[in-house]
Amino acid sequence: GPTRKMPLTASAMDFFQLFVPDNVLKNMVVQTNMYAKKYQERFGSDDAWIDVTLTEMKAFLGYMISTSIHHCESVLSIWSSGFYSNKSIALIMTQSRFEKILKYFHVVAFRSSQTTHSLYKIQPFLDSLQNGFDSAFRPSQAQVLHEPLIDEDPVFIATCTERELRKRKKRKFSLWVRQCSSTGFICQIYVHLKEGSGADGLDALKNKPQLHSMVAKSLCQNASGKNYIIFTGPSITSLNLFEEFEKQDIYCCGLLSTRKSDCTGLPPSMLSNSASPQARGQYRIRMKGNMSLICWYNKGHFRFLTNAYSPVQQGVIIKRKSGEIPCPLAVEAFAAHLSYICKYDDKYSKYFISHKPNKTWQQVFWFAISIAINNAYILYKMSEAYHVTRYSRAQFGERLVKELLGLQDTSPTH
């Protein structure tokens, strides 16, 4: 749970600034002004540009965050006269001023001579965000490594022509997280660029087990020695990775797939389906030290690799129609923790910022901001302030937007 007690009067802004404090916003102001100056030295002066202030930067973020609540393809719809216009917040800043800030907005204006990382333009922000996640929350023992669901706006997709859909570029990166399965709090973010060079670029994509192993190690670099139990999907599950994690006191439970997983070192007899018909709930086990490979049957064969649960401990899967189906405890635990993540995706994925910039670093930045707001709401729900006001996720987002814009009335609109 949370590592610090927030006051009863804590606002949405207070929770958001646990991860994005004023010093980070002030740095954005400095870097944006530096970039604007350099840009104009190179391409000619811009008479309409005035250096951005901290108040304007907060308002700029507020406008962007508003697209996560009132989904629209372009943030500029706020100033339009159409369906997505929002007169209550459009008066704080003119559209032309907003567009100027959007044009020059930067988190890191210039590449330093030592920088080799492709995400150098937002790496300091991601590092700051990670420090905020680590210091504000202590996760439960059970955690999940996965790619969170990021919704495209269904209204826009439904109204798109085929040509417009083809023009929409696929993301050039994948976003992986380590997530506390009991609360949904995202403890760590890892961004993999699909067009990078070197060990984490296209060559690594050709060897997906190697790539996913690298992702898992990056996400768990701060987890060693803490006896966490990590749940993984088929793409990450492998014997070599789990054995490596066990040496660091990280225990695992993963679903295994003969098609997607790295099955090196596993007995072939357990990877092939038996010819004789099996009853639901039957399973076979092979062990090597603490590692267990479980083949469980339930209208199909499901294989699990684990060193976190004893294979002889019994559990049950409860189905509405067929009742209880016996299974090893590892299977029950995996199903339970996976369902927590599905609930998180259902509840929070629709609150990602809708703005779709062309530059990869900007896309990553707005996804990271969206995750920070979701984490802030989870902390808010676990605080005493929630029992005073009880805002929904949409109301929390609206309150945060109004506080960033400096509006006096911070009560949510329904």
Side-chain angles (χ1 to χ4, degrees):
T3 57
R4 67 189 78 178
K5 188 175 181 180
M6 299 293 281
L8 288 171
T9 55
S11 64
M13 188 73 166
D14 293 331
F15 287 97
F16 177 65
Q17 292 215 302
L18 291 173
F19 311 125
V20 189
D22 268 351
N23 66 316
V24 171
L25 297 176
K26 286 174 183 173
N27 181 62
M28 292 179 195
V29 170
V30 172
Q31 297 293 329
T32 299
N33 289 333
M34 283 171 57
Y35 180 79
K37 184 181 177 183
K38 195 72 176 177
Y39 184 94
Q40 290 173 52
E41 285 175 2
R42 186 173 178 185
F43 297 106
S45 62
D46 184 348
D47 296 333
W49 173 253
I50 305 168
D51 278 0
V52 70
T53 63
L54 179 61
T55 303
E56 286 183 313
M57 185 57 72
K58 286 182 178 180
F60 173 76
L61 289 179
Y63 283 123
M64 285 297 195
I65 292 167
S66 71
T67 67
S68 66
I69 310 151
H70 312 287
H71 288 283
C72 50
E73 180 58 16
S74 171
V75 67
L76 301 180
S77 303
I78 291 168
W79 291 274
S80 71
S81 56
F83 180 77
Y84 290 112
S85 65
N86 193 334
K87 302 299 182 192
S88 62
I89 65 174
L91 299 175
I92 304 298
M93 184 184 290
T94 64
Q95 180 178 340
S96 59
R97 178 59 176 164
F98 176 86
E99 288 185 89
K100 285 294 178 189
I101 298 173
L102 182 61
K103 177 181 178 179
Y104 296 121
F105 174 70
H106 267 71
V107 180
V108 174
F110 309 111
R111 183 196 292 261
S112 67
S113 55
Q114 295 85 18
T115 305
T116 55
H117 199 279
S118 302
L119 287 174
Y120 75 93
K121 288 198 172 185
I122 55 164
Q123 195 57 53
F125 173 76
L126 294 177
D127 293 341
S128 170
L129 206 61
Q130 186 59 55
N131 291 334
F133 292 167
D134 291 340
S135 62
F137 184 81
R138 188 169 59 250
S140 63
Q141 185 185 27
Q143 294 166 41
V144 180
L145 305 186
H146 75 122
E147 287 184 276
L149 180 66
I150 299 170
D151 267 0
E152 290 279 12
D153 179 36
V155 176
F156 176 77
I157 294 298
T159 57
C160 259
T161 63
E162 283 188 25
R163 185 182 176 190
E164 285 173 326
L165 282 173
R166 281 198 302 271
K167 282 172 69 179
R168 288 170 69 81
K169 295 177 182 177
K170 290 186 178 179
R171 288 198 300 270
K172 295 179 181 178
F173 63 93
S174 55
L175 187 73
W176 293 77
V177 299
R178 175 165 57 87
Q179 190 169 16
C180 170
S181 62
S182 58
T183 60
F185 189 95
I186 288 179
C187 307
Q188 192 160 349
I189 301 171
Y190 177 79
V191 181
H192 168 71
L193 292 176
K194 294 177 181 176
E195 294 187 358
S197 57
D200 60 346
L202 283 173
D203 292 336
L205 269 176
K206 294 172 186 173
N207 187 348
K208 288 204 170 182
Q210 180 186 340
L211 167 65
H212 292 140
S213 173
M214 180 192 71
V215 168
K217 289 173 187 175
S218 298
L219 285 170
C220 293
Q221 59 189 358
N222 300 329
S224 59
K226 297 180 180 178
N227 291 310
Y228 287 151
I229 297 175
I230 304 292
F231 292 87
T232 64
S235 59
I236 291 178
T237 303
S238 79
L239 179 63
N240 292 335
L241 179 67
F242 283 14
E243 286 178 337
E244 194 172 327
F245 275 167
E246 189 174 356
K247 294 172 185 174
Q248 302 172 36
D249 293 327
I250 301 171
Y251 300 92
C252 303
C253 179
L255 181 64
L256 194 72
S257 163
T258 52
R259 190 168 55 88
K260 294 182 180 178
S261 305
D262 178 6
C263 297
T264 306
L266 298 174
S269 60
M270 292 291 286
L271 302 177
S272 57
N273 299 334
S274 57
S276 57
Q278 288 185 285
R280 294 178 74 178
Q282 282 190 336
Y283 57 90
R284 296 177 291 151
I285 299 168
R286 287 285 294 274
M287 294 185 68
K288 176 188 175 184
N290 292 329
M291 199 72 65
S292 308
L293 176 56
I294 302 165
C295 182
W296 177 66
Y297 184 80
N298 178 27
K299 289 187 176 179
H301 291 87
F302 295 88
R303 295 172 179 83
F304 297 86
L305 190 66
T306 181
N307 56 2
Y309 297 92
S310 165
V312 296
Q313 284 186 286
Q314 292 295 308
V316 289
I317 299 286
I318 300 173
K319 298 283 185 182
R320 286 182 187 172
K321 293 182 180 178
S322 49
E324 294 184 352
I325 303 168
C327 65
L329 184 62
V331 179
E332 181 187 345
F334 184 90
H337 291 291
L338 199 66
S339 71
Y340 293 146
I341 299 308
C342 290
K343 286 176 185 174
Y344 174 92
D345 280 344
D346 290 344
K347 184 170 184 178
Y348 293 108
S349 66
K350 58 177 172 282
Y351 293 111
F352 277 77
I353 291 168
S354 298
H355 177 65
K356 302 290 189 301
N358 290 327
K359 291 190 168 58
T360 299
W361 73 264
Q362 291 179 356
Q363 293 174 19
V364 175
F365 176 80
W366 296 119
F367 284 140
I369 288 283
S370 302
I371 288 171
I373 299 168
N374 286 339
N375 277 355
Y377 180 69
I378 289 167
L379 290 188
Y380 160 72
K381 284 197 74 174
M382 298 173 76
S383 73
E384 293 179 1
Y386 177 69
H387 301 293
V388 177
T389 50
R390 289 189 176 272
Y391 290 115
S392 67
R393 172 63 183 84
Q395 290 171 332
F396 182 85
E398 288 187 1
R399 180 179 170 118
L400 175 60
V401 168
K402 288 186 175 182
E403 289 172 16
L404 283 165
L405 290 167
L407 293 172
Q408 295 302 312
D409 175 26
T410 55
S411 60
T413 56
H414 296 278

